Amino acid sequence: MLNVLILDDDQNMLNLISLMFDKYFPDTKKTMVCKTDKALKLAKKNHYDFVISDFILDENNGEEVMNKLCTDNTYGLGVTGSGENIENSQFIWLRKDVANFTSDLRRELTKQLSFVRMIKKLNSATEAINGRTNGS
């Protein structure tokens, strides 16, 4: 089961993303937060496989927050409702203000979560092989 952290200061957007996960990704454990400081505290205590974050949060820059939340084994997807310069970002950012945002988000999540699941399986297989090799 993938563990996902969803961060957005807009409760309506959190509700939308939550409903999308319930419908299309029910096998995913999701943690919903609307405050950056809470997300950072949770990330210190828990491992998240995937993070979804807004770009502007509590007067914080979403890119900086994503850099703190997305470590070696945590992947991220951003959403934005304003015209920030996101072209040079290392993360994928989806614009909330386009008519097909919901379908774009679903398509991108399907792709990204499949990738993360594949990476987790590869890591588990590698650990199992290394365990057998080191234990021999």
Side-chain angles (χ1 to χ4, degrees), residues 18 38 46 61-62 104 123 129 132:
S18 178
K38 184 173 181 181
N46 305 291
N61 178 296
D104 287 351
N123 287 341
I129 291 169
R132 279 188 254 142

Side-chain angles (χ1 to χ4, degrees), residues 49-55 61-80 84-95 108 112:
D49 300 300
F50 199 77
V51 173
I52 300 172
S53 177
D54 192 4
F55 192 85
N61 178 296
E63 182 86 14
E64 293 170 10
V65 173
M66 290 283 275
N67 281 322
K68 292 177 184 175
L69 294 173
C70 296
T71 58
D72 294 337
N73 295 319
T74 302
Y75 301 88
L77 174 68
V79 294
T80 182
E84 300 90 3
N85 182 7
I86 55 175
E87 285 73 31
N88 297 323
S89 175
Q90 69 176 357
F91 301 103
I92 296 170
W93 290 93
L94 297 177
R95 294 204 181 272
E108 193 60 43
Q112 295 291 326

Side-chain angles (χ1 to χ4, degrees), residues 16-31:
L16 171 71
I17 295 172
S18 178
L19 289 171
M20 185 172 287
F21 269 85
D22 291 345
K23 183 172 183 176
Y24 298 109
F25 312 103
D27 61 333
T28 304
K29 179 183 176 197
K30 64 184 186 300
T31 302

Side-chain angles (χ1 to χ4, degrees), residues 1-131:
M1 176 178 290
L2 292 182
N3 195 13
V4 177
L5 177 64
I6 303 165
L7 172 61
D8 200 311
D9 55 358
D10 179 350
Q11 189 61 48
N12 291 326
M13 185 56 59
L14 281 176
N15 293 341
L16 171 71
I17 295 172
S18 178
L19 289 171
M20 185 172 287
F21 269 85
D22 291 345
K23 183 172 183 176
Y24 298 109
F25 312 103
D27 61 333
T28 304
K29 179 183 176 197
K30 64 184 186 300
T31 302
M32 317 285 285
V33 294
C34 59
K35 297 286 184 191
T36 303
D37 58 341
K38 184 173 181 181
L40 293 170
K41 287 177 187 174
L42 286 169
K44 286 182 181 179
K45 295 178 186 177
N46 305 291
H47 169 73
Y48 294 97
D49 300 300
F50 199 77
V51 173
I52 300 172
S53 177
D54 192 4
F55 192 85
I56 299 199
L57 300 156
D58 310 328
E59 300 179 16
N60 289 297
N61 178 296
E63 182 86 14
E64 293 170 10
V65 173
M66 290 283 275
N67 281 322
K68 292 177 184 175
L69 294 173
C70 296
T71 58
D72 294 337
N73 295 319
T74 302
Y75 301 88
L77 174 68
V79 294
T80 182
S82 51
E84 300 90 3
N85 182 7
I86 55 175
E87 285 73 31
N88 297 323
S89 175
Q90 69 176 357
F91 301 103
I92 296 170
W93 290 93
L94 297 177
R95 294 204 181 272
K96 296 179 191 176
D97 55 353
V98 296
N100 54 345
F101 170 72
T102 305
S103 61
D104 287 351
L105 180 60
R106 179 179 163 207
R107 183 176 48 254
E108 193 60 43
L109 283 172
T110 299
K111 185 168 55 174
Q112 295 291 326
L113 294 177
S114 295
F115 171 76
V116 173
R117 283 186 182 100
M118 180 187 68
I119 294 295
K120 280 186 77 164
K121 287 180 182 176
L122 288 172
N123 287 341
S124 294
T126 301
E127 289 172 7
I129 291 169
N130 287 339

